[in-house]
Amino acid sequence: MKNVKCKMQNAKYHLRCLECGNIIPDRYTNTCPEGHDSLLRTVYNRKRIRRLSGRGMFNYIDWLPVEEMLPVNTNPITYKSEEFGKELGLENLYVSFSGYWPEKGVFMKTCTFKELEALPTLLRAKERAGEEILVVASAGNTSRAFAEVSSLTGMPVVAIVPRSCIYRMWTTMEPENHASIFLITVDGDYSDAIATSKEIANKPLQGFRGQRGGAPLIGGLIEEGGVRNVARRDGMGVVELEAAFFMKVLPDYYFQAVGSGTGAIAAWETFIRLIEDERFGRKMPRMVISQNLPFAPMVSAWQDGRAEIIADKDMRNADDAIKEMYADVLSTRNPPYSIKGGVYDMLMNTNGKVYGITNEECKEAEKLFESEEGIDLDPAASVAVASLIKALEEGYVKKKATILLNVTGGGYKRLKKEFAMYKIEERMEIKSNSLGQLPLDEIERELKEFVQAL
Ligand SMILES: *Cc1c(COP(=O)(O)O)cnc(C)c1O
Ligand SMILES: [Zn+2]
């Protein structure tokens, strides 16, 4: 026991359960050992963050749950918008951009802020979970980010995506670098991909062993953790850190499109830390989040004043609604809305607001932003842009207010001018009739082959 204590005192951070307040040392721990339905939050020893230079997002390593750094130039940028801001009559509009836009000094080749999640998550897994291989499910953008980082670093990943999203699975690295990516496609949507990943990571393949570089692989597969994974949240928090150092002050309003809401929770947590830092002001920004109609469960629950999502009320005809969405990466069916420290708590604590955005509004906003700022947007980012326009039209936001608009993805067209996009080949496809009763023997066999070839 003494030993553990000593170790914890030396650690640069520990985890804290928001329900019981217990301090938990990080062993790739994503849930409270007491079983609470609560997020764990990172507590960093250093309250006043340093900004290093020349290390991409690891400039902010003080507030990332990792010990080492990876040599990358991944970092979001913040700039003060002139053209688009003027168009809207805003004097203090700041844009945070995650994507590929070399003219602005941002080089994220997976074109979304998911890259900020993938880097520290893979590193934390390596540092804290030993030789276990991460299993990641997504509608595409997350898996692509993990795939790119995997092919860059050789850290292996099992990626699971709906077949309809496979066009999002590419990297800028040539196919011979894809050996560390095991891509599985699933008939169905994002939720089916998540269910499949849970089943694969949790049950029957435990004890699965292979060889990696001559060393035995112990442990097998491990669920990445989604919103519960502090590396994902603190990685995305770099957006707000970069913004705070650029703006010198916290914004009055923060705008972001949400699917799960993980990015917005991350922003809120980072603002809490920045307020404790004391150099950026004391006022918590109002969190303004947006979803793409007709599938917007959190909009529906929040407008109804509920802390719970009720499927019959908030997600009627979900399959059809999701198919209609312009920004289908936002189609999360089980977002961390009610969980302690989740989206509902965030909205309550920040006097926040929620907008539902139609495809029409989305496309119109996208056109305006692209023509004024000169960069193409991810459809999800267009949802956020549209929500800002809507908030102004409603008079919710004053023109003099200081606003941070999180443009979570973009620059695909810009990237294509310089780079080829190499498709990632799927290693397995899971048919809809085997959902719920996976061909585990076959999966195990294929995975063994994959691990042995690493
Ligand atoms: C995933 C994603 C979002 C939504 O992020 P969540 O953390 O799931 O709410 C927004 N924009 C882009 C470009 C994304 O890829
Ligand atoms: Zn607890």
Side-chain angles (χ1 to χ4, degrees):
M1 206 53 214
K2 228 178 196 164
N3 212 348
V4 172
K5 235 184 195 163
C6 170
K7 245 192 189 152
M8 276 172 66
Q9 271 164 6
N10 291 336
K12 69 180 261 199
Y13 70 93
H14 54 258
L15 307 173
R16 194 167 58 83
C17 171
L18 298 176
E19 183 69 44
C20 63
N22 283 355
I23 299 292
I24 303 157
D26 185 13
R27 302 198 174 90
Y28 202 84
T29 311
N30 291 331
T31 51
C32 176
E34 306 279 327
H36 295 126
D37 189 27
S38 164
L39 295 181
L40 303 182
R41 203 177 275 169
T42 333
V43 180
Y44 293 100
N45 291 348
R46 201 178 273 274
K47 298 297 170 208
R48 201 159 258 215
I49 186 171
R50 296 170 300 175
R51 187 188 193 283
L52 312 180
S53 66
R55 294 164 186 277
M57 70 178 296
F58 294 98
N59 282 339
Y60 301 102
I61 190 161
D62 282 348
W63 288 0
L64 291 172
V66 294
E67 308 291 338
E68 291 169 48
M69 304 190 197
L70 291 168
V72 291
N73 60 1
T74 292
N75 206 42
I77 46 115
T78 309
Y79 68 91
K80 188 164 184 191
S81 170
E82 300 299 337
E83 279 79 13
F84 182 63
K86 199 181 283 165
E87 189 64 30
L88 301 183
L90 292 173
E91 292 169 23
N92 293 299
L93 174 61
Y94 293 84
V95 173
S96 170
F97 185 88
S98 297
Y100 192 73
W101 196 359
E103 290 74 15
K104 286 267 191 235
V106 55
F107 304 92
M108 295 164 65
K109 287 185 275 184
T110 68
C111 295
T112 82
F113 73 163
K114 300 289 191 325
E115 198 168 315
L116 301 169
E117 305 181 64
L119 283 160
T121 293
L122 277 162
L123 194 51
R124 173 176 178 243
K126 189 178 140 206
E127 291 176 351
R128 306 276 167 183
E131 293 287 340
E132 280 174 298
I133 297 179
L134 276 186
V135 182
V136 181
S138 90
N141 285 354
T142 301
S143 288
R144 183 173 70 256
F146 276 81
E148 176 91 17
V149 176
S150 170
S151 55
L152 198 70
T153 61
M155 292 190 278
V157 67
V158 175
I160 305 179
V161 302
R163 173 138 335 101
S164 59
C165 297
I166 194 171
Y167 69 95
R168 293 205 180 97
M169 292 305 292
W170 47 267
T171 81
T172 56
M173 309 279 289
E174 289 179 18
E176 59 260 35
N177 297 299
H178 293 175
S180 55
I181 308 162
F182 192 95
L183 176 60
I184 300 175
T185 61
V186 174
D187 271 343
D189 66 15
Y190 182 27
S191 303
D192 297 308
I194 292 175
T196 303
S197 83
K198 277 197 192 311
E199 201 168 336
I200 291 178
N202 280 342
K203 285 184 224 134
L205 300 177
Q206 291 289 335
F208 154 79
R209 284 155 191 271
Q211 295 281 127
R212 173 143 49 116
L217 186 83
I218 17 168
L221 306 173
I222 187 170
E223 235 184 306
E224 170 278 320
V227 70
R228 296 174 189 270
N229 178 351
V230 292
R232 281 187 72 162
R233 305 208 307 277
D234 295 358
M236 281 195 286
V238 165
V239 167
E240 290 70 44
L241 296 177
E242 185 72 19
F245 275 90
F246 181 81
M247 297 167 67
K248 310 277 195 292
V249 64
L250 299 181
D252 299 320
Y253 298 90
Y254 170 86
F255 282 80
Q256 197 208 302
V258 301
S260 66
T262 306
I265 296 168
W268 172 43
E269 292 175 326
T270 305
F271 290 140
I272 292 173
R273 287 192 189 106
L274 284 167
I275 287 171
E276 287 169 3
D277 180 300
E278 294 183 333
R279 286 174 292 172
F280 304 93
R282 290 163 171 234
K283 209 173 97 205
M284 176 56 72
R286 285 188 167 190
M287 305 296 292
V288 187
I289 58 173
S290 44
Q291 297 204 282
N292 186 190
L293 298 167
F295 186 77
M298 292 190 275
V299 175
S300 169
W302 178 255
Q303 285 177 348
D304 213 20
R306 269 183 282 115
E308 285 86 35
I309 289 174
I310 300 172
D312 285 345
K313 288 188 175 165
D314 305 321
M315 293 192 282
R316 254 174 272 154
N317 305 321
D319 290 345
D320 293 335
I322 289 172
K323 279 191 198 112
E324 275 179 48
M325 293 169 83
Y326 181 56
D328 70 345
V329 296
L330 303 179
S331 66
T332 312
R333 286 179 200 242
N334 44 4
Y337 179 72
S338 314
I339 189 173
K340 182 115 185 140
V343 173
Y344 183 81
D345 285 350
M346 173 194 85
L347 291 168
M348 289 302 281
N349 276 280
T350 66
N351 202 358
K353 193 157 173 75
V354 176
Y355 283 104
I357 301 296
T358 64
N359 287 352
E360 209 55 44
E361 291 168 326
C362 200
K363 288 175 195 168
E364 212 168 289
E366 181 172 284
K367 222 189 253 165
L368 183 65
F369 187 93
E370 291 188 0
S371 70
E372 295 297 330
E373 302 291 269
I375 191 72
D376 59 289
L377 295 181
D378 187 287
S382 307
V383 172
V385 175
S387 73
L388 172 59
I389 293 172
K390 205 162 188 169
L392 282 164
E393 282 170 359
E394 278 187 3
Y396 172 69
V397 169
K398 300 280 170 291
K399 304 248 162 166
K400 280 194 172 6
T402 300
I403 295 163
L404 178 59
L405 171 62
N406 189 349
V407 173
T408 46
Y412 298 95
K413 289 180 192 157
R414 182 66 193 75
L415 183 78
K416 266 187 200 150
K417 286 186 186 165
E418 274 172 54
F419 289 93
M421 295 168 174
Y422 299 98
K423 243 178 69 188
I424 302 168
E425 296 297 333
E426 65 184 336
R427 300 245 191 166
M428 286 194 76
E429 47 176 293
I430 294 187
K431 299 259 192 285
S432 55
N433 59 10
S434 58
L435 286 175
Q437 38 177 0
L438 294 177
L440 290 164
D441 288 351
E442 192 189 339
I443 294 173
E444 183 158 6
R445 217 169 34 243
E446 294 285 332
L447 276 169
K448 261 184 193 149
E449 238 170 70
F450 164 71
V451 171
Q452 267 148 20
L454 284 173

